[in-house]
Amino acid sequence: MSKVTLKEMAKVLNMSVSTVSKALNDSHEISDATKEIVKKFAKERNYQPNPLAKYLKLGRSNSIGVILPSIGNPFHSQIIESLHNYASLHNFNLIIMQSKDSEEIETKAIQTLLNQGIDGIIISPAHETSNIALLKKIHESTCPVIIFDRINYDLDTYKIGVNNFQSGLDATAELIKVGRRRIIILCGKNIGVTKERLAGYEEALKKNDIELIQEYIVYCNYNNSFEDFDNDLKEKIAVLMKDSSIAPNAIFGTTDTLTTRVLGILADLKIQVPNELAVIGFANTEIANSLNPALSTIRQPTAEIAALSVEMLIKLITNKKNRSQIDFQEFKLDSSIQLRKSTDVDS
Amino acid sequence: MSKVTLKEMAKVLNMSVSTVSKALNDSHEISDATKEIVKKFAKERNYQPNPLAKYLKLGRSNSIGVILPSIGNPFHSQIIESLHNYASLHNFNLIIMQSKDSEEIETKAIQTLLNQGIDGIIISPAHETSNIALLKKIHESTCPVIIFDRINYDLDTYKIGVNNFQSGLDATAELIKVGRRRIIILCGKNIGVTKERLAGYEEALKKNDIELIQEYIVYCNYNNSFEDFDNDLKEKIAVLMKDSSIAPNAIFGTTDTLTTRVLGILADLKIQVPNELAVIGFANTEIANSLNPALSTIRQPTAEIAALSVEMLIKLITNKKNRSQIDFQEFKLDSSIQLRKSTDVDS
DNA sequence: TTGTAGGCGTTATCAA
DNA sequence: TTGATAACGCCTACAA
């Protein structure tokens, strides 16, 4: 906390508080001579304006609340860093919260943010309908809310994510291209975006005259514990692999979590990647490259998503126009496919 | 930002502001009847006290500044999550900054935090001497500072990390135990903790009558770009591997960054892990398990480090005693070794 | 039990 | 060009 205040400086300098304040803020009302004296003195005393007082006066906290499923997930760190960078650029700071894919925890996170007096919220919702009424209310009356990443969410605001249908199609098409036609797709329960990715998957199959096999669509429950999640997934894969009539030869993981987890599981099951099972997944991190075999991924434009999210939110924060009048857009950015060893099949 | 204020509610309820305030704060001076009316009304209007005003009044912001080398590094996400959890527990919120291993960026980060009016700082310094004068000044006059993770840093305050000497010794001893005696150690330039880990490495060699080979001590410069860093490291390893008289058969990475990066490089060089080179590294994340081969690691007790850091800092924040009087301790927690495939050598 | 008044550190308005 | 004064929303003696 800063110690020296305007008042104290004013006293020592024999000026009024307002003069000192204006001098420091480079007001045109103040003479250059005075400005110089004040600024020099302020530097000497290492004056730091009290941001709380400032923001109280200005009616804003200059902080943005961010809610995403998990902070600890290594794959989220890049989006956090990007959001952080863009927020800093605009002199906003970030208060990050996590929902752990649970609506209740998400509710609390939202409450905490409101209690902190944030100026706006950027959220990747726990699931398609989580806290929708609450967020609607907040967006209408309290502060703007923006949806990112998990953009299948029924709130009338800016939404920033990728074209999930196309991404799913691309990933599947790539697997087909390297000769794999029996493709498992891993989906998250209640995660809207995986639905669209699944639709892309189905479209790719259709285009290539591949029959859709229901058993290949594997749903995973994010609310399970690590252990349950892994065991559940492991068993599902093991069962499929055992039945040679339908044994798959590729896996498409529709989220980063799903994809990394499945890699560990395949290693445990002693299944060779990519020879037995080619793998492609969603991931935003350089770590995909350090995996062995390096993981082929659908890469989301993290920086652009973060930049747009912050930009649109700040636009809404600074915009005094009634938010119900705004024509909100949905930004579906292009993802790119990054081929590495995990799909590098001997042809 | 919250909308309805005490004043407004007082007006509607025909009470004074202070009555309303006291009622909401459960003051004994207020009758139960009044309290009920006020609370009900506050809930109805969804009253949220303005935290800025509150904190201004109380002279504290209830927020903690955290500075670490990189937010985007997947390996830091767990420590961030842990810090976040413990801070939330105490009703503090976190403002996270990164230094990118650069003293200049660190300086800016510190300034930003001070401008935000944080109540204290938890920092893993960019390097052994970075911003030491500045932090000393802050710690003495402005707000308490605590060092974590990179605890080789000359500031008289609480420091929380692991026993790096022992950790280095353990990791090296494990490699020796599985029969590897020609062990490369990867160190960070100017990173104090890697020095101690190196000392542990040397001790382990000595105990096992293994000669120290200077070429095996490889320093990496964190300030390099990703690409330079990788190319540099790649070349150093390639050179060592080529000369069969000194070709190593194991690698010990003394930081998480170094370790993951080297995995990608080894894959590129088509060096088999663990058969040609066994690998052990520092890492705090479950992702080590998803690597193939799964990575053996020295695991730091992230949660404890975070808990202690937050606890000690809050102790200093709430403690009005002069900080120069305090007998600061250094907490060197035990790390644990987690063996996985990357050291599972055929014996 | 309730209300009045002052102040936390700023900024902004208006007067000098 | 400067200074006095009133906010911002909250808390808290102290007075009623």
Side-chain angles (χ1 to χ4, degrees), chain A residues 63-159:
Chain A
S63 60
I64 294 175
V66 174
I67 303 178
L68 33 69
S70 165
I71 301 176
N73 180 332
F75 289 93
H76 290 339
S77 49
Q78 283 200 349
I79 188 84
I80 294 181
E81 176 168 350
S82 289
L83 286 169
H84 181 266
N85 288 342
Y86 288 103
S88 299
L89 219 62
H90 295 275
N91 273 310
F92 274 78
N93 70 310
L94 244 44
I95 301 189
I96 299 160
M97 295 279 146
Q98 55 189 348
S99 67
K100 290 285 172 189
D101 288 300
S102 141
E103 178 158 13
E104 289 74 41
I105 301 178
E106 189 179 66
T107 313
K108 273 197 187 169
I110 296 171
Q111 295 297 358
T112 306
L113 288 180
L114 292 181
N115 285 333
Q116 294 291 349
I118 39 88
D119 298 330
I121 293 178
I122 299 179
I123 181 171
S124 168
H127 62 253
E128 281 177 274
T129 57
S130 64
N131 287 302
I132 199 152
L134 176 58
L135 285 174
K136 198 167 225 152
K137 194 168 144 197
I138 292 171
H139 183 60
E140 278 162 7
S141 65
T142 312
C143 67
V145 176
I146 274 189
I147 311 293
F148 84 103
D149 193 28
R150 295 183 176 175
I151 55 180
N152 286 61
Y153 190 83
D154 184 25
L155 181 69
D156 192 27
T157 184
Y158 291 114
K159 296 172 196 167

Side-chain angles (χ1 to χ4, degrees), chain B residues 268-283:
Chain B
D268 266 7
L269 292 172
K270 301 214 189 304
I271 295 174
Q272 297 252 331
V273 178
N275 288 341
E276 289 178 74
L277 275 176
V279 177
I280 195 164
F282 270 76

Side-chain angles (χ1 to χ4, degrees), chain B residues 175-241:
Chain B
L175 292 170
I176 296 172
K177 194 172 136 200
V178 299
R180 301 297 165 100
R181 299 171 67 89
R182 301 198 305 278
I183 305 168
I184 294 181
I185 180 168
L186 304 177
C187 298
K189 253 183 191 139
N190 295 322
I191 313 286
V193 293
T194 73
K195 255 188 223 165
E196 292 205 10
R197 291 169 191 175
L198 175 60
Y201 163 88
E202 291 175 353
E203 176 67 18
L205 295 189
K206 203 165 131 193
K207 271 192 179 163
N208 290 275
D209 295 317
I210 301 174
E211 198 192 346
L212 178 69
I213 298 182
Q214 285 299 332
E215 282 79 5
Y216 285 176
I217 305 177
V218 175
Y219 284 95
C220 303
N221 192 344
Y222 279 41
N223 290 326
N224 279 347
S225 71
F226 262 39
E227 224 182 5
D228 287 352
F229 186 102
D230 276 9
N231 287 337
D232 184 45
L233 187 50
K234 193 183 223 167
E235 188 174 324
K236 281 173 177 161
I237 292 174
V239 167
L240 284 172
M241 292 299 282

Side-chain angles (χ1 to χ4, degrees), chain A residues 1 52, chain B residues 54-56 58-62 92 117 119 317-318:
Chain A
M1 216 61 194
L52 265 34
Chain B
K54 192 164 153 186
Y55 294 147
L56 171 60
L58 302 180
R60 282 219 330 242
S61 67
N62 263 52
F92 274 77
D119 298 328
I317 290 174
T318 47

